[in-house]
Amino acid sequence: MVDVVLDLPDALRAEATNLSAVLVERMRLAGHPSRFQLGRPYPGDPSQDGCEPHVSLFMLSVERAEIDELLTAVRAVAGTVAPIVASGHEYRPNPQGAPELHYHRSDPWHALQHAVVTAAEPLRRGRLREVDPAGEPLAGLVERLRREEPDGDRLRQLLDYGYDEIGDRFRPHVTLAWPADGAPPSLADLPGPDAFSGVLVDLAVHGMAGNGTCTTRYGGFTLAGGGPVGSAGAATHGGEQHDVRPVGR
């Protein structure tokens, strides 16, 4: 499974990893351990890169040999979409108790997601991901929704796109930790949500581990107008950053 995301710029990435460490420790002391910590490998697979702070735009199932094709599609999107001016809005837990930092929704956020889904969705070739970030098998979820909410947007999106956080269901956010037992941590005395405000320019494709974590970066491209970005192990091409990582093997 892969996730097309906006990665955070360095300062916001540091803010997210630091806050994740605070919340993970808070959860540990309360007897509710987290399944992951941002900036560290996902437990059980230390060969992976650290769990990368990100805002998910579209999760999909592709074969490893198809990742280059997906990168090409994402690069085309990056060449047409302006950087996102992101405004931190609030902290709140998801239904599984995972603390999240939510951004204000805006037309540019929705336009970016629409462009990503339009370009990337055909590459899933009708495949469903095995599980959602909470670990629920998607095939079983689809059958449950057919019984319980046959006319709901969630079922329609899963059938049409294989992903159920699109349009009105899209809430751009950064997941900071994930309680193993579903008990949300205290969100008191955290930095103001505006500490996460900034300009997001790095549209990337990551491989995923559990709980929606991004643990293997396949490549990223700078949104048009964001200016060239360079880093170790990356090649910069006319304002686009593409990590050099062999794929398709």
Side-chain angles (χ1 to χ4, degrees), residues 44-147:
D45 192 350
S47 65
Q48 295 173 333
D49 300 333
C51 299
E52 185 66 23
H54 66 276
V55 180
S56 293
L57 298 168
F58 186 47
M59 300 177 186
L60 68 159
S61 178
V62 298
E63 299 294 335
R64 187 170 178 82
E66 298 169 319
I67 291 175
D68 282 336
E69 189 176 0
L70 177 60
L71 287 170
T72 298
V74 170
R75 181 174 187 164
V77 171
T80 63
V81 179
I84 297 293
V85 179
S87 177
H89 175 49
E90 66 176 348
Y91 299 103
R92 66 172 182 261
N94 72 10
Q96 292 76 40
E100 299 174 338
L101 177 282
H102 282 251
Y103 285 109
H104 283 282
R105 293 194 294 171
S106 64
D107 289 343
W109 273 114
H110 289 291
L112 172 60
Q113 187 189 50
H114 176 75
V116 166
V117 172
T118 299
E121 192 282 327
L123 301 179
R124 75 180 183 93
R125 310 187 203 286
R127 292 174 292 228
L128 273 179
R129 292 168 291 135
E130 291 184 6
V131 297
D132 69 7
E136 182 172 3
L138 282 186
L141 174 59
V142 166
E143 292 309 309
R144 178 170 66 80
L145 292 173
R146 286 186 192 275
R147 297 190 303 271

Side-chain angles (χ1 to χ4, degrees), residues 9-68:
D10 289 346
L12 300 188
R13 182 186 186 281
E15 192 77 35
T17 55
N18 291 340
L19 185 52
S20 179
V22 168
L23 289 168
V24 167
E25 178 64 8
R26 184 176 293 185
M27 294 159 70
R28 184 190 69 80
L29 292 174
H32 306 295
S34 178
R35 293 190 182 277
F36 68 83
Q37 180 176 324
L38 294 179
R40 294 189 176 182
Y42 191 83
D45 192 350
S47 65
Q48 295 173 333
D49 300 333
C51 299
E52 185 66 23
H54 66 276
V55 180
S56 293
L57 298 168
F58 186 47
M59 300 177 186
L60 68 159
S61 178
V62 298
E63 299 294 335
R64 187 170 178 82
E66 298 169 319
I67 291 175
D68 282 336

Side-chain angles (χ1 to χ4, degrees), residues 4-8 53-57 103 109 170 172-174 200:
V4 184
V5 310
L6 276 182
D7 282 338
L8 302 186
H54 66 276
V55 180
S56 293
L57 298 168
Y103 285 109
W109 273 114
F170 177 45
H173 66 272
V174 179
L200 308 188

